């Protein structure tokens, strides 16, 4: 147990010892396309900040999102997800899933770009890994964004 790092989602597992044991000893059997979507959206947002692309046309972000979706598929953020297949479910395959997520993703990205608070913020990190010890247990995870805002 000393080498195991828990994730915030592990908190619920403490209520059921068998579920907790299973979570510690088994890799996930599959990844969900929604996770790829979130990673792709955050990568596009980081690029917007990094290259100051606030006023670019929506179409640019569609291409960028598609590229980031494919990268998220090929390069999982968590080591435990490497080599784990994606369960495409109702979407059937990568191309269909990406196409179905793209419209909502672009709406989110447009909303993000239109909010002046986001333009004024300094993005320090995106999907940054963190580790901490709470209650004698080591925890780790990713935070979507770390940013400095104009109002503090």
């Amino acid at each position: 147990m000393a080498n195991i790092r828990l994730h915030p989602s592990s908190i619920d597992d403490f209520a059921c010892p068998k579920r907790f044991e299973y979570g510690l000893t088994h890799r996930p059997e599959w990844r969900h396309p929604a996770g790829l979507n979130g990673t792709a959206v955050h990568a596009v947002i980081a690029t917007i900040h990094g290259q100051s692309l606030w006023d670019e046309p929506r179409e640019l972000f569609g291409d960028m999102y598609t590229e980031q979706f494919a990268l998220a598929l090929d390069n999982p953020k968590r080591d435990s997800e490497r080599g784990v297949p994606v369960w495409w479910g109702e979407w059937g395959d990568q191309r269909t899933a990406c196409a179905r997520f793209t419209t909502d993703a672009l709406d989110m990205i447009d909303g993000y770009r239109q909010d002046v608070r986001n333009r004024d913020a300094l993005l320090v990190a995106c999907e940054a890994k963190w580790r901490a010890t709470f209650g004698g247990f080591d925890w780790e995870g990713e935070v979507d964004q770390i940013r400095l805002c104009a109002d503090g």
Side-chain angles (χ1 to χ4, degrees):
M1 179 96 166
N3 295 329
I4 294 173
R5 300 221 180 261
L6 303 172
H7 295 270
S9 60
S10 304
I11 292 171
D12 287 342
D13 295 339
F14 280 101
C16 176
K18 273 296 181 200
R19 200 168 131 196
F20 179 71
E21 177 185 344
Y22 184 81
L24 293 178
T25 59
H26 294 82
R27 279 177 45 154
E29 293 181 23
W30 48 268
R31 296 183 289 152
H32 196 280
L36 305 177
N37 175 58
T39 298
V41 168
H42 291 137
V44 171
I45 288 172
T47 302
I48 290 169
H49 278 275
Q51 298 179 16
S52 196
L53 301 175
W54 300 99
D55 298 316
E56 296 299 319
R58 179 180 171 109
E59 295 76 27
L60 170 73
F61 300 107
D63 294 342
M64 192 181 298
Y65 171 81
T66 300
E67 180 181 321
Q68 292 300 326
F69 191 93
L71 284 172
L73 173 62
D74 294 338
N75 301 300
K77 292 289 181 183
R78 292 187 180 144
D79 290 338
S80 65
E81 294 177 341
R82 296 195 191 285
V84 176
V86 174
W87 176 73
W88 296 111
E90 66 185 86
W91 298 282
D93 59 26
Q94 175 186 349
R95 198 175 106 233
T96 304
C98 184
R100 296 258 313 268
F101 278 114
T102 297
T103 301
D104 287 342
L106 290 176
D107 289 345
M108 286 186 273
I109 291 164
D110 285 346
Y112 187 89
R113 290 189 306 144
Q114 292 168 5
D115 190 329
V116 70
R117 294 171 299 180
N118 295 325
R119 287 181 182 234
D120 293 342
L122 172 64
L123 187 61
V124 177
C126 188
E127 294 222 350
K129 291 185 177 186
W130 61 268
R131 285 187 176 168
T133 301
F134 299 108
F137 293 99
D138 292 328
W139 297 83
E140 67 179 12
E142 287 106 24
V143 61
D144 291 343
Q145 284 187 346
I146 300 172
R147 57 196 216 159
L148 298 173
C149 298
D151 63 358

